[in-house]
Amino acid sequence: MASNDAASPVMMIKGACPHDCPDTCALEVHVKDGVALKVTGSSLHAPTAGVLCTKVARYTERTYHPNRLLHPLRRVGKKGEGRFERISWEDAIQTIARRLAPMAAQNPEQILPYSYAGTMGLVQGESMSMRFFHTLGASLLDRTICTSAGTAGHEITLGSRIGIDMELTDEAKLIIFWGSNAITSSVHFWARAQQAKRLGAKLIAIDPYRSLTAEKCHTHIALLPGTDSALALGLMHVLIRDNLIDRDYVERHTLGFESLRERARLYDPGKVAALCGITAAEIESLAHLYGTTRPALIRANYGMQRVRGGGMATRNIACLPALVGAFRDAAGGILLSTGGNFNVDDDALKRPDLLAGRRPRTINMSTIGHALLAKDAPINALIVYNSNPVAVAPDSTRVTRGFAREDLFTVVLEHFQTDTADYADMVLPATTQLEHLDVVKPYGHYYIMANNPAIAPLGEAKPNSEIFRLLAHAMGFADPCFSDSDETIAQAAVSTDWDFNAVRAAGWKRVGLPKRTARFADGGFDTPSGKVEFYSSRAQGLGLDPLPDYIAPQEDTRSQTATRFPLAMISPPARNFLNSSFVNVQSLRASEGEPWLDIHPDDAAARGVVAGNYVRVFNDRGSLELRARVTDRARLGVVVGLSIWWRKLARDGKNANELTSSDTLTDMGRAPTFYDCLVQVEAL
Ligand SMILES: Nc1nc2c(c(=O)[nH]1)N[C@H]1C(S)=C(S)[C@@H](COP(=O)(O)OP(=O)(O)OC[C@H]3O[C@@H](n4cnc5c(=O)[nH]c(N)nc54)[C@H](O)[C@@H]3O)O[C@H]1N2
Ligand SMILES: Nc1nc2c(c(=O)[nH]1)N[C@H]1C(S)=C(S)[C@@H](COP(=O)(O)OP(=O)(O)OC[C@H]3O[C@@H](n4cnc5c(=O)[nH]c(N)nc54)[C@H](O)[C@@H]3O)O[C@H]1N2
Ligand code: SF4
Ligand SMILES: [Mo]
């Protein structure tokens, strides 16, 4: 054992934040005598700039949390009840292998992995796990829960997501936060936007909610949820009508301008204002600002694509920088994601060749409730890691009924006894970022990041990679890839471009073009035509309109459904949580208080809702109780429940997904429509 000698040195271990956040910060883990004392942000890594968000600044509180899962557990109570007994790893692995083997022999598609971005590490994400499931021939998972609509809209318009370098943000003179609450979800980008503001930039927020970000911008356009595609068309209308476009750029580097002009002509500001629930003057003035300011940057995030027309919304927004030639400036253009810069060898990580010619079915994670309740070709085993579907998937009624099936064999790899772990047959304790090795591909900056283990695993926790290694060996899988160490996997992931050991020693490595390059100044888009595709044959091939269009929300405030459920509910991320992670960290939960519903004073008055009292929020899918916060942060007709709470930590054991739908998916990308959700509210 290490001594407690005060003279023993504090070691500084280089890590990378694993969370699903664009900033992927460089961590410094301060370790003394094998204990992590604190985690700080590196000042040498430009995007991190020495600062962490409040959540990860408390990473040690999460890691050493008294409720960390430290041993394998077997269920002794009913499904969902959360009663378990401790077992050995040997017993756990053998039991799982014994349960999976006959299913694998009979029909491996009965087995489904369910995972998302609890860690964005490539090693603890999809490496050993997918090798394991590919060897089995298990059902594949369509990982659609977050970005797939926006990704698809971006793809058909601009190609892969090579967003502008966030380190140039302070040079922009106009920054439009479009469906992005950066103070919450990308605080390092926000810090740079603040600097731009100090240097004279105008900041605009397009968001139905006066978020922490919107309130600090010069202008806030509070449109109705799901109407962004119309707003973008309205801006195009004015830009073209008033000749504010960059004709040279349009001629050289875009496809289909004449058809776009015809389409945009249909969306005059009066019509668009009515669709979006804003004024024509707001559209006119934003178009003029955008058409006359350089460099102009759109910071789009994923908030506007969680509605039926989410793909189209992203597509229309992505057309704007080409129209005004904003791509000519290194600090201009659009930043949705920088993921397209990184050349990761996915096949080496996941080894799809192990499928050996089989083509298993694919199950959409966003409709997991439907999938678990299906009678035909049922799913009989579910292995969950890096995700908390019982809390985060839409349409909780179906999801919980599916997870409650007594005949479903469920294994959950977790740090904590989450809502999902409560439904497990076996819970396996996983290591956190401080305890394992990884390499992280970011989506908000240009650095590939390495994570060194800083402390030994707590209790009997094991890395995901090791758990799947053990399972593979117990199942008798012979491929040598199941003996790969985590270092070998990390190197395989990045082998084409980098030496992992060098990245590991440095902590990070910048990739992509040299700084200050305006990547698309001379076109070179990775679309079929090499141009920005205002007209997209690929979209047409997918059965979609080849041109930008307006797709109304499924649950439109002007629809028949709205007579019974007149309020549009959105449930975007709370600042002190990361999706459903950190909700169980006491200090962070205390900062959020409790599950609130923000409601406009007029909507509250019309329903006799009093600030601070509980209300019932409901639709045909379900009902939940929240505490009312009467505030004009929520625009008229929109209610906001910041999320994602653990169901079991809420007073009625439910969260916002009790009300969200899994019947409607997005126009592109098969994603959920979390923010396309009509409700009614009544005082309790
Ligand atoms: N603190 C914190 N940070 C996070 C997360 C977290 O939970 N907490 N989650 C992480 C993850 S997984 C993701 S995907 C990103 C998400 O981060 P963002 O992409 O920024 O997305 P959201 O926070 O979902 O939404 C941003 C804003 O979009 C607004 N919005 C909702 N509907 C609409 C609409 O129809 N149109 C427009 N224009 N705006 C709309 C919301 O009110 C919200 O203020 O953040 C990541 N970072
Ligand atoms: N109503 C509503 N629902 C939403 C959203 C919303 O805005 N509103 N946002 C959606 C979005 S954008 C997303 S991305 C999803 C997010 O959904 P998820 O990806 O499920 O994210 P988390 O809720 O953070 O759950 C991740 C879990 O992984 C665990 N974990 C972390 N690291 C490891 C590890 O190394 N090993 C193992 N075994 N486990 C680990 C954490 O403890 C945590 O419980 O939620 C979606 N759901
Ligand atoms: S969650 Fe985001 S802002 Fe916070 S430390 Fe991680 S990468 Fe940085
Ligand atoms: Mo997400």
Side-chain angles (χ1 to χ4, degrees):
M1 278 302 292
S3 79
N4 281 333
D5 182 356
S8 70
V10 175
M11 317 253 289
M12 201 79 94
I13 312 292
K14 288 178 179 158
C17 179
H19 288 294
D20 190 352
C21 165
D23 297 4
T24 311
C25 289
L27 308 180
E28 297 164 335
V29 188
H30 304 237
V31 180
K32 187 170 190 296
D33 298 328
V35 175
L37 304 175
K38 62 175 177 177
V39 179
T40 51
S42 169
S43 50
L44 301 174
H45 180 240
T48 308
V51 195
L52 301 178
C53 65
T54 44
K55 308 174 292 293
V56 175
R58 298 185 182 278
Y59 209 75
T60 52
E61 197 180 329
R62 185 176 188 277
T63 303
Y64 294 111
H65 194 292
N67 298 346
R68 258 297 288 282
L69 292 167
L70 299 174
H71 313 283
L73 301 171
R74 171 177 26 227
R75 175 167 68 93
V76 291
K78 286 204 316 199
K79 287 261 172 146
E81 212 175 67
R83 287 200 297 127
F84 291 87
E85 66 179 8
R86 179 174 170 181
I87 55 170
S88 68
W89 268 110
E90 172 72 15
D91 191 356
I93 296 291
Q94 289 309 325
T95 308
I96 297 167
R98 230 179 13 251
R99 291 294 301 267
L100 295 185
M103 291 193 213
Q106 188 210 31
N107 175 9
E109 293 187 3
Q110 300 173 73
I111 304 168
L112 177 72
Y114 192 104
S115 63
Y116 201 63
T119 170
M120 293 213 311
L122 299 173
V123 179
Q124 308 308 336
E126 306 306 339
S127 66
M128 267 310 167
S129 53
M130 286 319 293
R131 297 174 181 186
F132 178 77
F133 292 111
H134 282 147
T135 306
L136 275 177
S139 288
L140 302 170
L141 187 74
D142 202 3
R143 292 185 170 82
T144 55
I145 204 154
C146 177
T147 62
S148 58
T151 301
H154 191 285
E155 186 86 36
I156 58 171
T157 313
L158 300 175
S160 47
R161 290 164 298 163
I162 304 180
I164 81 131
D165 183 356
M166 61 85 82
E167 290 174 58
L168 302 178
T169 308
D170 53 1
E171 293 177 18
K173 290 297 170 214
L174 172 64
I175 303 176
I176 302 178
F177 291 89
W178 205 319
S180 163
N181 180 6
I183 292 184
T184 286
S185 59
S186 186
V187 70
H188 295 80
F189 181 88
W190 173 253
R192 291 186 180 258
Q194 285 284 86
Q195 177 60 10
K197 190 180 180 189
R198 283 189 284 271
L199 297 172
K202 277 263 182 299
L203 270 43
I204 316 278
I206 300 176
D207 194 315
Y209 183 55
R210 197 168 75 244
S211 66
L212 296 172
T213 305
E215 77 181 349
K216 294 216 161 52
C217 289
H218 296 99
T219 305
H220 172 206
I221 299 183
L223 78 185
L224 287 166
T227 62
D228 301 84
S229 53
L231 176 57
L233 281 161
L235 295 175
M236 293 179 204
H237 178 101
V238 178
L239 290 166
I240 299 170
R241 182 198 69 195
D242 295 353
N243 201 19
L244 293 167
I245 63 175
D246 183 334
R247 291 207 165 269
D248 179 58
Y249 195 90
V250 166
E251 253 164 52
R252 285 172 199 258
H253 305 304
T254 72
L255 190 74
F257 174 70
E258 289 309 321
S259 338
L260 180 75
R261 179 214 296 270
E262 292 311 308
R263 178 57 58 85
R265 212 196 295 276
L266 305 174
Y267 288 87
D268 60 84
K271 172 176 169 174
V272 170
L275 290 172
C276 299
I278 55 177
T279 64
E282 288 178 289
I283 300 163
E284 296 274 358
S285 92
L286 178 57
H288 277 261
L289 193 62
Y290 189 61
T292 55
T293 314
R294 286 182 65 172
L297 170 59
I298 298 177
R299 181 32 164 143
N301 215 330
Y302 293 97
M304 75 291 174
Q305 48 99 64
R306 307 193 199 289
V307 292
R308 179 169 68 169
M312 190 62 87
T314 313
R315 162 161 173 63
N316 295 3
I317 294 164
C319 290
L320 294 169
L323 215 48
V324 300
F327 286 120
R328 289 186 191 274
D329 301 314
I334 184 165
L335 171 55
L336 176 63
S337 162
T338 59
N341 283 303
F342 301 93
N343 194 9
V344 162
D345 190 343
D346 242 22
D347 288 355
L349 279 169
K350 303 179 189 162
R351 296 289 307 274
D353 58 296
L354 295 169
L355 279 169
R358 293 165 296 176
R359 291 164 155 254
R361 65 174 170 176
T362 300
I363 303 283
N364 188 345
M365 71 186 304
S366 301
T367 48
I368 187 65
H370 289 265
L372 291 177
L373 295 172
K375 295 276 183 273
D376 289 343
I379 295 164
N380 291 319
L382 187 64
I383 295 110
V384 182
Y385 51 102
N386 303 339
S387 185
N388 184 10
V390 170
V392 308
D395 197 358
S396 306
T397 306
R398 280 207 179 89
V399 174
T400 51
R401 267 179 54 216
F403 272 85
R405 267 176 49 199
E406 283 292 336
D407 63 333
L408 175 70
F409 178 64
T410 303
V411 180
V412 176
L413 285 62
E414 251 301 347
H415 299 151
F416 293 104
Q417 191 66 38
T418 58
D419 290 327
T420 305
D422 281 351
Y423 285 89
D425 293 276
M426 308 289 261
V427 178
L428 304 178
T431 45
T432 69
Q433 192 76 341
L434 301 194
E435 300 150 67
H436 56 226
L437 178 124
D438 223 323
V439 54
V440 185
K441 179 183 112 166
Y443 61 95
H445 61 64
Y446 281 27
Y447 300 78
I448 190 92
M449 308 294 295
N451 185 70
N452 295 286
I455 56 171
L458 297 197
E460 295 180 357
K462 292 184 189 297
N464 293 343
S465 54
E466 177 62 10
I467 298 174
F468 284 104
R469 232 178 247 124
L470 291 171
L471 282 172
H473 288 128
M475 300 285 292
F477 296 168
D479 194 285
C481 75
F482 291 109
S483 299
D484 282 357
S485 66
D486 285 3
E487 282 84 353
T488 307
I489 300 173
Q491 182 59 60
V494 300
S495 67
T496 40
D497 287 349
W498 314 291
D499 170 17
F500 176 67
N501 278 327
V503 181
R504 194 179 166 174
W508 56 84
K509 180 166 172 52
R510 192 180 152 98
V511 306
L513 294 176
K515 269 193 193 157
R516 328 206 53 71
T517 314
R519 171 71 177 74
F520 298 110
D522 296 313
F525 293 90
D526 143 30
T527 53
S529 63
K531 296 182 173 188
V532 176
E533 300 207 345
F534 295 149
Y535 185 96
S536 166
S537 308
R538 240 191 316 174
Q540 201 170 28
L542 295 169
L544 302 165
D545 195 314
L547 285 169
D549 195 13
Y550 171 58
I551 298 178
Q554 171 72 17
E555 303 195 0
D556 200 333
T557 48
R558 285 157 290 237
S559 66
Q560 187 59 28
T561 320
T563 55
R564 290 194 299 140
F565 305 118
L567 299 169
M569 185 191 82
I570 56 174
S571 48
R575 185 181 192 183
N576 291 286
F577 304 150
L578 206 132
N579 300 321
S580 78
S581 298
F582 295 100
V583 179
N584 63 328
V585 174
Q586 182 54 40
S587 59
L588 294 169
R589 188 161 81 252
S591 303
E592 289 299 332
E594 60 181 305
W596 295 100
L597 185 78
D598 288 4
I599 183 168
H600 187 275
D602 295 352
D603 285 328
R607 291 164 178 78
V609 168
V610 175
N613 284 5
Y614 288 93
V615 293
R616 192 167 83 88
V617 190
F618 60 97
N619 58 23
D620 283 336
R621 289 178 289 270
S623 156
L624 88 150
E625 291 175 17
L626 299 171
R627 195 159 174 202
R629 206 153 50 180
V630 177
T631 165
D632 65 359
R633 278 182 179 280
R635 58 155 288 159
L636 197 65
V638 175
V639 290
V640 184
L642 297 180
S643 290
I644 307 171
W645 286 82
W646 281 22
R647 291 163 59 84
K648 61 180 165 186
L649 294 178
R651 84 180 198 138
D652 62 350
K654 297 174 186 174
N655 71 14
N657 284 319
E658 198 70 18
L659 305 173
T660 55
S661 164
S662 65
D663 289 321
T664 302
L665 296 176
T666 50
D667 54 341
M668 304 174 202
R670 307 164 303 280
T673 50
F674 289 115
Y675 304 164
D676 193 331
C677 176
L678 288 180
V679 299
Q680 180 56 296
V681 173
E682 66 182 23
L684 274 181

